[in-house]
Amino acid sequence: MGHNDLMGQAEDVADQFLRLTKQYLPHLARLCLISTFLEDGVRMWFQWSEQSDYISATWNCGWFLASCFVLINLLGQLGGCVLILSRNFVQYACFALFGIIALQTVAYSILWDVKFLMRNLALGGGLLLLLAESRGEGKSMFAGVPSLGESSPKQYMQLGGRVLLVLMFMTLLHFELNLITILQNLVGTALIVLVAVGFKTKLAALTLVLWLAWINLFFNAFWTVPTYKPMHDFLKYDFFQTTSVIGGLLLVVALGPGGVSMDEKKKEW
Protein backbone atom coordinates (compact mmCIF):
# COMPACT_ATOMS: atom_id res chain seq x y z
CA MET A 1 0.00 0.00 0.00
CA GLY A 2 2.83 2.34 0.97
CA HIS A 3 4.47 1.75 -2.39
CA ASN A 4 1.26 2.67 -4.24
CA ASP A 5 0.86 5.78 -2.10
CA LEU A 6 4.39 6.83 -2.93
CA MET A 7 3.86 6.23 -6.66
CA GLY A 8 0.62 8.18 -6.51
CA GLN A 9 2.31 11.11 -4.80
CA ALA A 10 5.18 11.06 -7.29
CA GLU A 11 2.70 11.05 -10.19
CA ASP A 12 0.84 13.99 -8.61
CA VAL A 13 4.10 15.94 -8.40
CA ALA A 14 4.84 15.10 -12.06
CA ASP A 15 1.34 16.21 -13.10
CA GLN A 16 1.69 19.45 -11.17
CA PHE A 17 5.05 20.12 -12.79
CA LEU A 18 3.46 19.51 -16.20
CA ARG A 19 0.63 21.93 -15.51
CA LEU A 20 3.10 24.64 -14.48
CA THR A 21 5.42 24.14 -17.45
CA LYS A 22 2.84 23.32 -20.12
CA GLN A 23 3.61 26.42 -22.22
CA TYR A 24 7.38 26.09 -22.10
CA LEU A 25 7.98 22.36 -22.15
CA PRO A 26 7.42 21.65 -25.87
CA HIS A 27 9.72 24.57 -26.80
CA LEU A 28 12.42 23.43 -24.40
CA ALA A 29 12.03 19.86 -25.65
CA ARG A 30 12.54 20.98 -29.26
CA LEU A 31 15.56 23.08 -28.40
CA CYS A 32 17.21 20.22 -26.50
CA LEU A 33 16.30 17.73 -29.19
CA ILE A 34 17.89 19.67 -32.04
CA SER A 35 20.89 20.87 -30.00
CA THR A 36 23.17 18.19 -31.44
CA PHE A 37 22.24 19.19 -35.01
CA LEU A 38 22.79 22.87 -34.19
CA GLU A 39 26.18 22.16 -32.66
CA ASP A 40 27.20 19.97 -35.60
CA GLY A 41 26.02 22.52 -38.16
CA VAL A 42 28.04 25.26 -36.46
CA ARG A 43 31.04 22.90 -36.25
CA MET A 44 30.86 22.34 -40.02
CA TRP A 45 31.23 26.10 -40.43
CA PHE A 46 34.22 26.47 -38.11
CA GLN A 47 35.95 23.23 -39.16
CA TRP A 48 35.14 23.48 -42.85
CA SER A 49 38.62 22.59 -44.13
CA GLU A 50 39.22 19.76 -41.60
CA GLN A 51 35.86 18.17 -42.38
CA SER A 52 36.24 18.39 -46.17
CA ASP A 53 39.85 17.12 -45.98
CA TYR A 54 38.67 14.15 -43.90
CA ILE A 55 35.86 13.25 -46.33
CA SER A 56 38.12 13.78 -49.32
CA ALA A 57 40.80 11.50 -47.83
CA THR A 58 38.36 8.84 -46.60
CA TRP A 59 36.33 8.54 -49.80
CA ASN A 60 38.93 9.74 -52.27
CA CYS A 61 36.21 11.87 -53.85
CA GLY A 62 38.09 15.08 -54.49
CA TRP A 63 37.81 18.57 -53.03
CA PHE A 64 34.58 19.58 -54.77
CA LEU A 65 32.43 16.64 -53.61
CA ALA A 66 33.88 16.79 -50.10
CA SER A 67 33.00 20.51 -49.90
CA CYS A 68 29.49 19.75 -51.18
CA PHE A 69 29.12 17.19 -48.38
CA VAL A 70 30.12 19.74 -45.73
CA LEU A 71 27.82 22.38 -47.26
CA ILE A 72 24.84 19.99 -47.30
CA ASN A 73 25.52 19.13 -43.66
CA LEU A 74 25.81 22.76 -42.67
CA LEU A 75 22.73 24.05 -44.51
CA GLY A 76 20.63 20.95 -43.87
CA GLN A 77 21.23 20.96 -40.13
CA LEU A 78 21.04 24.68 -39.44
CA GLY A 79 18.11 25.14 -41.84
CA GLY A 80 16.25 22.19 -40.33
CA CYS A 81 16.82 23.53 -36.81
CA VAL A 82 15.53 27.01 -37.71
CA LEU A 83 12.37 25.54 -39.28
CA ILE A 84 11.72 23.25 -36.30
CA LEU A 85 12.18 26.03 -33.74
CA SER A 86 10.00 28.45 -35.71
CA ARG A 87 7.42 25.65 -36.26
CA ASN A 88 7.42 26.11 -40.03
CA PHE A 89 7.43 23.09 -42.38
CA VAL A 90 8.36 20.90 -39.41
CA GLN A 91 7.68 17.67 -41.30
CA TYR A 92 10.02 18.66 -44.15
CA ALA A 93 12.66 19.76 -41.64
CA CYS A 94 12.43 16.39 -39.87
CA PHE A 95 12.86 14.54 -43.17
CA ALA A 96 15.86 16.73 -44.03
CA LEU A 97 17.46 15.88 -40.69
CA PHE A 98 16.66 12.17 -41.19
CA GLY A 99 18.55 12.48 -44.48
CA ILE A 100 21.52 14.13 -42.76
CA ILE A 101 21.64 11.32 -40.15
CA ALA A 102 21.64 8.72 -42.95
CA LEU A 103 24.31 10.65 -44.89
CA GLN A 104 26.58 10.95 -41.86
CA THR A 105 26.09 7.30 -40.94
CA VAL A 106 27.51 6.31 -44.33
CA ALA A 107 30.08 9.10 -44.74
CA TYR A 108 31.67 8.63 -41.33
CA SER A 109 31.43 4.79 -41.49
CA ILE A 110 29.24 4.84 -38.39
CA LEU A 111 27.55 1.59 -39.46
CA TRP A 112 30.49 -0.34 -38.07
CA ASP A 113 30.58 1.46 -34.75
CA VAL A 114 27.75 0.12 -32.61
CA LYS A 115 27.77 2.99 -30.11
CA PHE A 116 27.60 5.71 -32.75
CA LEU A 117 25.03 3.79 -34.78
CA MET A 118 22.74 3.42 -31.77
CA ARG A 119 23.08 7.11 -31.03
CA ASN A 120 22.17 8.04 -34.57
CA LEU A 121 19.15 5.74 -34.44
CA ALA A 122 18.13 7.38 -31.16
CA LEU A 123 18.40 10.82 -32.79
CA GLY A 124 16.06 9.44 -35.45
CA GLY A 125 13.74 8.41 -32.61
CA GLY A 126 13.68 11.98 -31.31
CA LEU A 127 12.83 13.25 -34.80
CA LEU A 128 10.02 10.66 -35.03
CA LEU A 129 8.54 12.10 -31.85
CA LEU A 130 8.78 15.60 -33.34
CA LEU A 131 7.09 14.35 -36.48
CA ALA A 132 4.30 12.82 -34.39
CA GLU A 133 3.89 16.12 -32.54
CA SER A 134 3.65 18.11 -35.77
CA ARG A 135 1.07 15.66 -37.15
CA GLY A 136 -0.94 16.14 -33.98
CA GLU A 137 -0.89 19.93 -34.28
CA GLY A 138 -2.46 19.92 -37.70
CA LYS A 139 -5.38 17.87 -36.46
CA SER A 140 -5.96 19.67 -33.18
CA MET A 141 -8.93 21.63 -34.55
CA PHE A 142 -10.83 18.35 -34.45
CA ALA A 143 -9.52 17.52 -30.99
CA GLY A 144 -12.93 16.72 -29.54
CA VAL A 145 -14.03 14.43 -32.36
CA PRO A 146 -13.17 10.77 -31.81
CA SER A 147 -11.44 9.46 -34.90
CA LEU A 148 -10.14 6.14 -36.11
CA GLY A 149 -7.30 5.52 -38.48
CA GLU A 150 -5.84 9.00 -38.91
CA SER A 151 -3.94 8.95 -35.65
CA SER A 152 -2.56 5.44 -36.00
CA PRO A 153 0.57 6.51 -37.91
CA LYS A 154 1.11 9.09 -35.16
CA GLN A 155 0.73 6.44 -32.45
CA TYR A 156 3.26 4.16 -34.13
CA MET A 157 5.65 7.08 -34.62
CA GLN A 158 5.43 7.77 -30.89
CA LEU A 159 6.05 4.09 -30.13
CA GLY A 160 9.00 3.99 -32.57
CA GLY A 161 10.42 7.20 -31.12
CA ARG A 162 10.25 5.86 -27.58
CA VAL A 163 11.86 2.54 -28.51
CA LEU A 164 14.69 4.26 -30.40
CA LEU A 165 15.40 6.51 -27.40
CA VAL A 166 16.11 3.28 -25.50
CA LEU A 167 19.01 2.58 -27.87
CA MET A 168 20.64 5.88 -26.97
CA PHE A 169 20.24 5.11 -23.34
CA MET A 170 22.06 1.81 -23.81
CA THR A 171 25.13 3.71 -25.00
CA LEU A 172 25.17 5.71 -21.77
CA LEU A 173 25.48 2.64 -19.57
CA HIS A 174 28.91 2.12 -18.04
CA PHE A 175 30.04 -1.45 -17.62
CA GLU A 176 32.15 -1.21 -14.50
CA LEU A 177 31.82 -3.55 -11.59
CA ASN A 178 31.19 -1.23 -8.70
CA LEU A 179 28.01 -0.92 -6.72
CA ILE A 180 27.11 2.64 -7.73
CA THR A 181 27.52 1.96 -11.46
CA ILE A 182 25.52 -1.28 -11.26
CA LEU A 183 22.77 0.51 -9.32
CA GLN A 184 22.72 3.36 -11.85
CA ASN A 185 22.48 0.90 -14.72
CA LEU A 186 19.66 -1.05 -13.07
CA VAL A 187 17.60 2.02 -12.19
CA GLY A 188 18.20 3.61 -15.58
CA THR A 189 17.30 0.42 -17.46
CA ALA A 190 14.11 -0.02 -15.42
CA LEU A 191 13.05 3.57 -16.19
CA ILE A 192 13.83 3.37 -19.89
CA VAL A 193 11.89 0.09 -20.20
CA LEU A 194 8.89 1.85 -18.59
CA VAL A 195 9.23 4.64 -21.17
CA ALA A 196 9.50 2.15 -24.04
CA VAL A 197 6.40 0.15 -23.08
CA GLY A 198 4.57 3.31 -22.06
CA PHE A 199 3.84 2.49 -18.40
CA LYS A 200 3.78 5.39 -15.90
CA THR A 201 5.40 7.09 -18.87
CA LYS A 202 5.43 10.72 -17.81
CA LEU A 203 6.82 9.97 -14.38
CA ALA A 204 9.50 7.59 -15.74
CA ALA A 205 10.50 10.02 -18.52
CA LEU A 206 10.67 12.97 -16.12
CA THR A 207 12.84 11.02 -13.67
CA LEU A 208 15.15 10.06 -16.53
CA VAL A 209 15.37 13.68 -17.67
CA LEU A 210 16.53 14.80 -14.22
CA TRP A 211 18.98 11.93 -13.96
CA LEU A 212 20.45 12.39 -17.46
CA ALA A 213 20.76 16.15 -16.90
CA TRP A 214 22.81 15.47 -13.77
CA ILE A 215 25.01 12.88 -15.56
CA ASN A 216 25.47 15.30 -18.46
CA LEU A 217 26.61 18.24 -16.33
CA PHE A 218 28.79 16.04 -14.17
CA PHE A 219 30.46 13.66 -16.64
CA ASN A 220 30.35 15.59 -19.94
CA ALA A 221 31.58 18.97 -18.71
CA PHE A 222 33.50 19.74 -21.93
CA TRP A 223 33.91 23.39 -20.90
CA THR A 224 36.35 22.32 -18.17
CA VAL A 225 38.74 20.78 -20.72
CA PRO A 226 41.00 22.99 -22.89
CA THR A 227 39.81 23.12 -26.53
CA TYR A 228 43.10 21.79 -27.96
CA LYS A 229 42.68 18.46 -26.16
CA PRO A 230 40.84 15.70 -28.07
CA MET A 231 38.85 14.97 -24.90
CA HIS A 232 37.12 18.35 -25.28
CA ASP A 233 35.52 17.28 -28.57
CA PHE A 234 34.55 13.84 -27.26
CA LEU A 235 32.85 15.29 -24.20
CA LYS A 236 31.17 18.00 -26.27
CA TYR A 237 29.76 15.38 -28.64
CA ASP A 238 28.50 13.30 -25.71
CA PHE A 239 27.03 16.39 -24.04
CA PHE A 240 24.94 17.44 -27.02
CA GLN A 241 23.88 13.90 -27.88
CA THR A 242 22.66 13.38 -24.32
CA THR A 243 20.91 16.77 -24.45
CA SER A 244 19.08 15.60 -27.57
CA VAL A 245 17.88 12.48 -25.77
CA ILE A 246 16.72 14.67 -22.88
CA GLY A 247 14.76 16.64 -25.51
CA GLY A 248 13.19 13.45 -26.82
CA LEU A 249 12.21 12.41 -23.29
CA LEU A 250 10.77 15.89 -22.61
CA LEU A 251 8.64 15.49 -25.73
CA VAL A 252 7.40 12.17 -24.34
CA VAL A 253 6.57 14.00 -21.09
CA ALA A 254 4.80 16.83 -22.94
CA LEU A 255 2.87 14.64 -25.42
CA GLY A 256 2.25 11.56 -23.31
CA PRO A 257 3.05 8.09 -24.59
CA GLY A 258 0.47 7.95 -27.40
CA GLY A 259 -2.04 5.26 -28.23
CA VAL A 260 0.29 2.27 -28.40
CA SER A 261 1.24 2.13 -24.74
CA MET A 262 0.30 0.41 -21.49
CA ASP A 263 -0.89 3.73 -20.01
CA GLU A 264 -3.43 4.00 -22.82
CA LYS A 265 -4.46 0.35 -22.61
CA LYS A 266 -4.95 0.72 -18.85
CA LYS A 267 -7.72 3.22 -19.49
CA GLU A 268 -9.60 0.57 -21.43
CA TRP A 269 -9.36 -2.06 -18.70
Side-chain angles (χ1 to χ4, degrees):
M1 180 63 200
H3 169 91
N4 282 350
D5 276 358
L6 210 68
M7 277 301 272
Q9 280 174 343
E11 282 185 303
D12 287 345
V13 170
D15 283 338
Q16 223 165 351
F17 171 78
L18 277 177
R19 274 197 294 277
L20 290 172
T21 56
K22 201 171 180 180
Q23 274 107 7
Y24 317 108
L25 207 57
H27 299 293
L28 180 65
R30 281 162 178 253
L31 185 61
C32 290
L33 200 120
I34 60 160
S35 63
T36 193
F37 296 110
L38 264 178
E39 190 269 333
D40 199 50
V42 170
R43 196 164 53 90
M44 292 288 164
W45 176 265
F46 285 109
Q47 296 182 1
W48 184 288
S49 53
E50 291 106 304
Q51 295 293 334
S52 55
D53 288 350
Y54 172 81
I55 292 296
S56 176
T58 308
W59 292 95
N60 207 4
C61 60
W63 173 86
F64 179 73
L65 282 177
S67 294
C68 286
F69 169 82
V70 178
L71 184 66
I72 289 168
N73 265 294
L74 188 145
L75 294 178
Q77 293 189 101
L78 295 182
C81 290
V82 168
L83 290 177
I84 284 169
L85 286 178
S86 63
R87 294 179 181 257
N88 290 310
F89 305 108
V90 171
Q91 298 188 6
Y92 296 112
C94 286
F95 287 125
L97 292 175
F98 276 127
I100 298 274
I101 290 175
L103 187 66
Q104 288 191 353
T105 303
V106 175
Y108 293 114
S109 311
I110 287 169
L111 276 172
W112 317 122
D113 184 321
V114 174
K115 183 175 176 180
F116 283 106
L117 182 62
M118 285 168 100
R119 292 201 166 181
N120 270 9
L121 285 168
L123 273 182
L127 288 176
L128 264 182
L129 289 167
L130 256 184
L131 210 51
E133 187 205 23
S134 68
R135 283 184 72 95
E137 280 181 351
K139 311 236 164 55
S140 58
M141 53 192 279
F142 304 114
V145 185
S147 59
L148 294 165
E150 61 84 8
S151 66
S152 58
K154 179 183 172 183
Q155 293 173 0
Y156 289 110
M157 279 180 200
Q158 285 176 281
L159 173 68
R162 291 201 318 270
V163 171
L164 287 172
L165 281 177
V166 174
L167 292 177
M168 167 73 187
F169 193 77
M170 293 305 168
T171 67
L172 297 174
L173 298 179
H174 296 281
F175 297 103
E176 295 153 21
L177 288 174
N178 62 43
L179 189 62
I180 292 175
T181 311
I182 292 168
L183 260 175
Q184 272 194 346
N185 287 354
L186 286 174
V187 172
T189 306
L191 286 169
I192 201 75
V193 167
L194 288 178
V195 170
V197 298
F199 183 67
K200 306 269 186 213
T201 319
K202 288 182 175 178
L203 183 61
L206 208 51
T207 311
L208 265 177
V209 164
L210 295 172
W211 189 45
L212 282 180
W214 178 78
I215 285 179
N216 215 11
L217 289 170
F218 194 74
F219 289 110
N220 297 331
F222 65 89
W223 52 89
T224 61
V225 179
T227 44
Y228 59 83
K229 292 191 174 177
M231 199 61 193
H232 177 88
D233 283 341
F234 278 118
L235 290 177
K236 194 174 181 182
Y237 175 80
D238 268 6
F239 179 86
F240 282 103
Q241 290 260 315
T242 308
T243 305
S244 285
V245 172
I246 288 172
L249 287 165
L250 282 173
L251 265 188
V252 172
V253 174
L255 296 179
V260 189
S261 63
M262 285 178 70
D263 283 349
E264 208 55 39
K265 293 284 171 275
K266 244 181 11 203
K267 294 175 186 171
E268 297 167 16
W269 295 341

